[in-house]
Amino acid sequence: MQNLTHQPPQLPQAPCCAATLREHLSSLPALQHTASNHPMLQDWLQHMLTEAAARNQVMLNWYASRADGYLMGLSFNSKRSVTGELLQLGQLCRRLSAEAAQ
């Protein structure tokens, strides 16, 4: 039986997803540019950060799918490629998923 009084002290955990949306987007230039011109997309991305901070993977994925659909709609309506934005959205989603899992 282990003596509980001799256990090492618990270190405080760093808050999950401490980076802001602006900090995340600074490394994702195509997504940053498009989000700055489309407030609705920026709103979906902010919700992704909020859900990652709450460690809610289901809602993180749900908001990511909304952002993905928004980008697809932009592509269809404007006849311009959003491949870079979609790839960077995937990077952001993977990054947030990893942070939320910690």
Side-chain angles (χ1 to χ4, degrees), residues 7-43:
Q7 289 185 352
Q10 294 290 327
L11 298 174
Q13 290 186 351
C16 172
C17 311
T20 65
L21 180 58
R22 183 178 305 216
E23 290 168 332
H24 278 291
L25 292 180
S26 68
S27 64
L28 305 168
L31 190 58
Q32 180 181 32
H33 175 73
T34 303
S36 68
N37 293 321
H38 296 276
M40 187 59 152
L41 176 60
Q42 192 170 10
D43 190 43

Side-chain angles (χ1 to χ4, degrees), residues 47-67:
H47 281 292
M48 287 173 61
L49 257 67
T50 302
E51 296 304 332
R55 291 181 163 79
N56 188 341
Q57 189 68 43
V58 171
M59 290 307 294
L60 169 62
N61 291 336
W62 189 86
Y63 283 114
S65 73
R66 302 283 99 38

Side-chain angles (χ1 to χ4, degrees), residues 47-90:
H47 281 292
M48 287 173 61
L49 257 67
T50 302
E51 296 304 332
R55 291 181 163 79
N56 188 341
Q57 189 68 43
V58 171
M59 290 307 294
L60 169 62
N61 291 336
W62 189 86
Y63 283 114
S65 73
R66 302 283 99 38
D68 182 74
Y70 190 87
L71 287 170
M72 295 300 287
L74 283 178
S75 176
F76 180 76
N77 290 327
S78 66
K79 305 290 189 232
R80 74 173 185 90
S81 175
V82 292
T83 304
E85 289 90 336
L86 289 170
L87 290 172
Q88 290 179 3
L89 176 63

